[in-house]
Amino acid sequence: MSYRVVTVLGVAHRERLGVVQAYRFALDLTPRQERAVLAHAGAARVAHNWALARVKAVMDQRAAERTYGIDEVDLTPTQGWSLPALRRAWNQAKSDVAPWWAECSKEAFNTGLDALARGLKNWSDSRTGKRAGRRVGFPRFKSRRRSTPSVRFTTGAIRVEPDRRHVVLPRLGRLKLHESARKLARRLEAGTARIVSATVRRDGGRWYVAFCVDVDRAARTPHQPQLVVGVDLGVKHLAVLSTGELEPNPRYLDAAARRMRRLARRVCRRVGPDRRTGRRASKRWERARARLGRAHARVAHLRRDGLHKLTTRLAREYGTIVVEDLNVAGMLANRRLARRIADAGFAELRRHLAYKAGWNGGRLVVADRWYPSSKTCSGCGAVKTKLALSERTYTCTTCGLVLDRDVNAARNLAALAAAVAGSGSETRNGRGADRKTPLAGLVAVKRQPGTAKAGNTGTVPPQGRTSDHELTYAS
């Protein structure tokens, strides 16, 4: 089963956790092997485009027939969107559409058909309101130049060789790994892991193989299970903990911006492809474009590595982690901070904490999006009506507390753990709700914090103990 959600406190007594985990390794392919992988990826693209054209043709034909006044029962029969229906249609037509179909594994064609089936289902569910989030568009045809080559294997011989330096995939044979697969091999040899599928994909000019593995993980306990930590995310510092620790923001994109601008100018000065005239790109343009792609991939890899190290350390150390439910899409509308916000990877950091806290026996608490963690005093609980983004030091006019703005917000987040001590996976938010803000938009009524009673303003206790203090407006 998929185990992306966070474990509740009662899971610690279980001996094993069944999770679906991915292991990704870089490949060192020979030119012949690379041609074979590209052929399989091309076969997936051909099957996808053929099935999409068939579905569109049937939909257009039925729409035209309705304009003629033809009854529904007499319309052209529909083409099923499910994977079995698309596979049956492909098997009937593959001899005419792709006479070379026997040269590639059946999993290659299944990869393209499966992607189309999921795309059509997401589009249909989005139109009918069954799918949350942004509206999903109708699937588009895949281009040989713009689409990412990828093929997925679910059946056949999929294994890691005893030397842990090679893997075996159907029809592709024995492929050399750039690094050792000892972590996966040890689990396979111990019988605590089972390979479900393997996906070969090109990313940033390199080929990778990703194994989807059903793993039985041993239940773990954080080093300090009773300790609560609040994590305030930001641009100046990637994460500020309620303990006072500041995690610097590496800003990988800014560090590589100069080199990437130079590579982008080099691409623009080469002779690129022109779809209007049918002009093909020059070899120098292809090489320059590949260099730029590798530069972008390096930034993404550095960011992913940094986020993994930070989230792994937090999940292994603390029993309860409290983070905010940030509106990252709305924050990206700020043109002055959009690039740095995107470079930080706030959503990816929260996603990592969600499943890693479960793996390590902890829990993740998500504060409500409208909880005033920055405006609230962590000493007395008073709430400021306004706090400009430029004010980096929080000064309380009620109790006189002077503290770094981000540290103050992190302490307020840590104090929420007791208030939402929970029953669920990603536990209830800071307002006690079991669900997030509805997709229809924000509510019209402004939420007002409660007024504290005299003498009951409360303070935030030291780390390890939390209290639910009431909120008051600062005078």
Side-chain angles (χ1 to χ4, degrees), residues 354-389:
Y355 69 84
K356 289 182 181 180
W359 288 0
N360 291 275
R363 69 180 178 122
L364 178 68
V365 177
V366 180
D368 184 75
R369 181 171 296 180
W370 310 111
Y371 174 68
S373 59
S374 298
K375 297 180 180 180
T376 305
C377 176
S378 59
C380 65
V383 180
K384 285 190 173 184
T385 55
K386 292 183 180 180
L387 183 65
L389 186 61

Side-chain angles (χ1 to χ4, degrees), residues 323-362:
V323 296
E324 293 178 290
D325 181 21
L326 297 176
N327 181 18
V328 180
M331 297 167 65
L332 292 177
N334 186 340
R335 63 182 181 86
R336 298 181 182 273
L337 296 175
R339 185 179 64 180
R340 292 184 176 179
I341 291 174
D343 188 24
F346 294 153
E348 192 70 5
L349 190 148
R350 173 181 164 181
R351 186 183 71 86
H352 287 182
L353 287 176
Y355 69 84
K356 289 182 181 180
W359 288 0
N360 291 275

Side-chain angles (χ1 to χ4, degrees), residues 7 20 121 131 134 143 169 177 184 214 266 307 312:
T7 313
V20 176
K121 183 179 185 302
R131 178 184 172 88
R134 294 182 178 180
S143 168
L169 298 179
L177 298 177
L184 174 59
D214 191 357
R266 185 177 300 175
L307 292 178
T312 298

Side-chain angles (χ1 to χ4, degrees), residues 4 33 42 108 135 178 192 200 204-205 230 263 276 312 368 468:
R4 180 179 180 275
Q33 291 173 340
R135 293 291 295 271
H178 185 72
T192 58
V200 182
L263 293 175
R276 295 172 298 178
T312 298
D368 184 75
D468 184 18

Side-chain angles (χ1 to χ4, degrees), residues 378-427:
S378 59
C380 65
V383 180
K384 285 190 173 184
T385 55
K386 292 183 180 180
L387 183 65
L389 186 61
S390 58
E391 299 181 31
R392 305 314 305 172
T393 301
Y394 184 91
T395 303
C396 181
T397 58
T398 302
C399 67
L401 176 69
V402 179
L403 189 63
D404 180 81
R405 172 197 182 110
D406 297 331
V407 176
N408 177 71
R411 291 185 179 180
N412 287 324
L413 292 175
L416 283 176
V420 294
S423 56
S425 321
E426 261 190 12
T427 59

